[in-house]
Amino acid sequence: MGLREYKTKRKFGKTPEPEPKERTEGDQLIFVVHKHAARNLHYDLRLKMDGVLKSWAVPKGPSLDPSIKRLAMMVEDHPFDYKDFEGVIPEGNYGAGSVIIWDRGFYRHPSVKDKKESEKLLRDGLKKGDLKFVLNGKKLQGEFALVRMRKDEKSWLLIKKKDRHASEVSILKENRSAVSGKTLEDVAEAGPRESFKQKKVKQIRLREALEDEDLKDAPVGPMPHNIKPMLATLVKKPFDHPDWIFEMKWDGYRAIAEIRDGDVSIYSRNRISFTQKFLPITDALRKLGFDALLDGEIVVVNDQGHPDFEMLQNYQKSGSGHLLYYVFDLLHFREHDLTGLPLLRRKELLKKILPSSPKIKFSDHVLKEGILFFNVVREKGLEGMIAKHSQSAYQAGKRSRQWLKVKARLTQECVIAGFTEPGGGRKYFGSLVLSMYDEDELKYIGHSGGGFEEKDLKVIFNKLKPLIQKKCPFKIEPETNTPVTWVKPELVCEVTFTGWTEDGIMRQPVFLRLREDKPAREVVKEN
Ligand code: MN
């Protein structure tokens, strides 16, 4: 194919991509997989052959599951130097968008290790439309095949062969560059500075917001510090109402953000700081360029766009998933206290001032139709929705009936009060003894032996070990079939369950996850 097509599609000087240069020898057989956020997100698999990179665009990305066949569209050959390309292809250029080196390493033919021999067999495979190869990268390992489909020359299938590297776990969860450790969003943000046009748009948007009639109704005053967010009351059923709006209930950490003179402080319901913990969000907020007090939820979404609480809890360690701050309320903006304005007007202003940013999102709503919205939320397996009165003022620190939450699943936070011995081949513990506060008293509400993944058992056990105490934390010791090791009631977890018995015990509680963001003392019955 050569590099002619590559050359004609691009204007060098306008794009940072490398100029075409063919390499004839030397260099080992390398492969690279680019993750490329162009018009559509896709992965580009590139194999070095005959001095260039043979390339396929894989819309859904590679899979390690041998039962999955991924479409791979053959595209133009890329120059060998493209193996090092990571960055932003500016707007107006071919393939505009950000690119990371998602994976890189060496490859060979499965039956020979010698480079020359390998290259010959690979070349034959490519010609025949049946290319078998072994990858040795940071993420992709083991044998794969690219098989040309009958319908046309360009359509191929990328298939993982059965071997010890095969797995049903999605490798795409690992979303960082194999070279720089950056995500696509990191690269996009570090890309070209705001253009003159973007700056202008931002200024106009802010000026319009300042001239807004609503802002004139809002009293001027200093921004409050360390506020507690307004909370919603749990209700059982969704409803329709012309005066209410409906938002997604995000499965993440509630987070207040103060932006003051370019300083950003983000904190939880209990004023635990998130400023350092979620630095990409802090940095994105700093770039907003105005003073504001925001209320929202920090989430990590997976590649399907679903919030994933476990990914959020592990975010600092794993970096997996996409970190986002969904902002749903604007409490203070450029010296104006907006908490007394009707919610809908606060949200209109918020929408006006929030620029489109990869990390900061406006949490949108639907009007009136709560039941329809709830059905969609439940079908998608999401946590639930929040109904808010469209004219409501913001009442910091209050659990209000102007904000209602409807859960798609029945869940309860519990304080872990003890555990039982493991049995039947399991390690660490058998079940957890669960409790919650009723007024000032810790009450037993059941025990759960299900829902734990192998790794949960160890993590939980290690957190409980230092809390072990002789004394039962309940006033009246509950009756149990097996002896219980009591712990200091500190660690909070969340369970799903099917209902309450008349004695206030949960039916069939199943462990969901730890909730280390919640203090034990605040765990009460959720309705
Ligand atoms: Mn591409």
Side-chain angles (χ1 to χ4, degrees):
M1 205 184 278
L3 293 172
R4 187 166 340 129
E5 190 180 345
Y6 177 85
K7 197 171 166 184
T8 53
K9 281 181 169 170
R10 289 167 179 80
K11 287 197 191 78
F12 300 99
K14 298 244 161 124
T15 173
E17 296 164 287
E19 286 190 47
K21 249 191 289 172
E22 285 187 35
R23 293 283 185 104
T24 41
E25 54 183 314
D27 315 295
Q28 279 190 275
L29 287 179
I30 64 106
F31 84 95
V32 54
V33 179
H34 281 115
K35 187 178 181 185
H36 183 183
R39 228 169 326 161
N40 295 305
L41 178 70
H42 62 271
Y43 294 75
D44 293 296
L45 168 64
R46 310 188 196 281
L47 304 173
K48 185 189 176 241
M49 217 183 275
D50 298 329
V52 296
L53 297 173
K54 294 284 167 194
S55 298
W56 289 261
V58 186
K60 291 189 172 166
S63 167
L64 299 182
D65 184 344
S67 71
I68 290 176
K69 297 181 169 79
R70 289 280 156 87
L71 180 67
M73 296 302 292
M74 198 170 203
V75 296
E76 76 273 16
D77 292 348
H78 280 51
F80 180 68
D81 291 342
Y82 212 91
K83 72 182 191 343
D84 299 317
F85 179 68
E86 182 166 287
V88 178
I89 304 171
E91 279 308 317
N93 287 282
Y94 178 73
S98 38
V99 177
I100 57 169
I101 300 169
W102 181 76
D103 199 15
R104 200 165 71 176
F106 300 103
Y107 86 109
R108 61 175 173 84
H109 190 272
S111 56
V112 282
K113 293 227 161 105
D114 175 72
K115 193 204 141 208
K116 276 254 149 57
E117 269 296 288
S118 212
E119 206 168 7
K120 186 184 164 298
L121 291 172
L122 291 163
R123 208 180 286 126
D124 290 348
L126 181 73
K127 240 180 242 155
K128 272 197 318 212
D130 183 8
L131 180 56
K132 293 186 176 63
F133 51 95
V134 175
L135 297 181
N136 183 10
K138 280 196 177 163
K139 297 189 179 77
L140 298 180
Q141 300 263 335
E143 190 175 342
F144 288 78
L146 271 166
V147 182
R148 188 160 57 214
M149 291 164 81
R150 288 233 182 94
K151 57 174 188 177
D152 66 285
E153 289 279 290
K154 304 243 150 146
S155 306
W156 298 61
L157 292 171
L158 176 65
I159 307 160
K160 176 82 194 73
K161 295 284 172 179
K162 282 189 190 137
D163 59 18
R164 68 193 174 87
H165 300 290
S167 164
E168 285 174 18
V169 178
S170 171
I171 186 75
L172 303 182
K173 276 188 189 163
E174 292 181 33
N175 65 349
R176 286 182 186 264
S177 163
V179 176
S180 66
K182 289 178 180 168
T183 63
L184 267 179
E185 289 86 352
D186 296 337
V187 166
E189 257 166 69
R193 299 253 108 228
E194 270 182 308
S195 70
F196 180 70
K197 202 167 125 201
Q198 284 168 320
K199 256 191 200 139
K200 207 80 199 158
V201 169
K202 191 162 149 186
Q203 278 169 8
I204 292 169
R205 208 180 44 230
L206 286 179
R207 201 177 57 223
E208 277 178 356
L210 274 172
E211 285 166 359
D212 199 294
E213 287 302 313
D214 291 332
L215 211 54
K216 296 196 174 83
D217 292 344
V220 170
M223 188 193 300
H225 178 52
N226 271 348
I227 68 147
K228 285 211 157 194
M230 177 164 171
L231 303 174
T233 305
L234 184 66
V235 295
K236 286 211 171 100
K237 280 195 177 131
F239 56 92
D240 290 340
H241 198 289
D243 295 336
W244 288 68
I245 67 167
F246 303 91
E247 292 173 352
M248 188 93 96
K249 185 179 188 306
W250 295 106
D251 199 6
Y253 293 145
R254 185 75 180 272
I256 299 283
E258 295 175 11
I259 312 165
R260 199 184 273 104
D261 294 329
D263 274 339
V264 176
S265 157
I266 315 174
Y267 49 89
S268 77
R269 274 175 62 173
N270 307 297
R271 296 166 193 164
I272 294 163
S273 177
F274 289 149
T275 312
Q276 291 302 315
K277 193 168 180 181
F278 300 114
L279 217 47
I281 289 175
T282 307
D283 291 342
L285 288 173
R286 193 176 293 123
K287 284 188 192 159
L288 291 183
F290 50 76
D291 284 9
L293 181 58
L294 307 172
D295 188 2
E297 188 104 357
I298 293 175
V299 300
V300 168
V301 301
N302 58 26
D303 281 338
Q304 286 72 49
H306 280 198
D308 186 321
F309 195 80
E310 207 182 322
M311 276 182 156
L312 175 65
Q313 285 187 315
N314 297 328
Y315 186 78
Q316 271 183 303
K317 244 188 279 164
S318 72
S320 292
H322 310 272
L323 181 68
L324 300 172
Y325 183 33
Y326 271 101
V327 185
F328 46 69
D329 217 324
L330 176 64
L331 314 182
H332 208 272
F333 175 63
R334 290 196 157 170
E335 335 233 276
H336 294 268
D337 172 14
L338 308 184
T339 53
L341 289 184
L343 170 66
L344 216 45
R345 296 217 227 150
R346 295 200 304 272
K347 286 201 78 172
E348 274 162 21
L349 267 171
L350 175 64
K351 196 173 182 176
K352 230 181 250 182
I353 61 165
L354 274 189
S356 63
S357 146
K359 290 266 183 301
I360 315 291
K361 303 280 178 200
F362 175 69
S363 181
D364 218 338
H365 54 261
V366 301
L367 303 165
K368 299 175 205 166
E369 307 221 42
I371 295 173
L372 194 68
F373 185 66
F374 184 76
N375 289 341
V376 173
V377 163
R378 194 169 43 192
E379 262 166 42
K380 293 200 174 221
L382 299 167
E383 206 196 4
M385 74 171 187
I386 307 276
K388 296 177 177 175
H389 195 286
S390 64
Q391 303 303 305
S392 57
Y394 192 92
Q395 297 173 285
K398 289 248 166 62
R399 192 176 292 281
S400 156
R401 293 207 65 93
Q402 304 269 293
W403 284 18
L404 303 171
K405 58 181 165 188
V406 196
K407 286 190 175 179
R409 300 174 290 198
L410 206 50
T411 63
Q412 170 72 44
E413 283 159 15
C414 308
V415 185
I416 302 171
F419 58 88
T420 63
E421 290 300 309
R426 189 194 261 187
K427 277 198 271 182
Y428 305 109
F429 61 85
S431 60
L432 296 177
V433 178
L434 304 171
S435 66
M436 67 179 185
Y437 280 91
D438 179 12
E439 303 287 322
D440 280 329
E441 201 190 323
L442 193 70
K443 285 262 166 71
Y444 170 75
I445 54 171
H447 59 272
S448 169
F452 307 101
E453 284 180 36
E454 188 95 24
K455 61 178 180 348
D456 293 333
L457 292 169
K458 186 178 178 185
V459 169
I460 298 167
F461 184 73
N462 285 337
K463 288 186 190 291
L464 289 176
K465 229 170 23 184
L467 301 176
I468 291 174
Q469 62 179 22
K470 269 254 157 64
K471 198 171 157 273
C472 165
F474 302 115
K475 254 190 207 156
I476 310 155
E477 195 168 319
E479 280 184 40
T480 49
N481 299 330
T482 41
V484 177
T485 305
W486 300 111
V487 296
K488 227 164 119 188
E490 269 183 13
L491 194 62
V492 177
C493 69
E494 193 173 359
V495 300
T496 59
F497 65 114
T498 57
W500 294 97
T501 68
E502 277 179 20
D503 308 329
I505 305 293
M506 287 185 289
R507 286 202 175 92
Q508 299 163 27
V510 173
F511 175 83
L512 213 52
R513 60 212 176 185
L514 288 178
R515 287 301 303 241
E516 292 176 86
D517 55 323
K518 297 285 171 83
R521 194 55 196 81
E522 284 181 20
V523 172
V524 293
K525 193 167 180 178
E526 292 177 46
N527 56 23

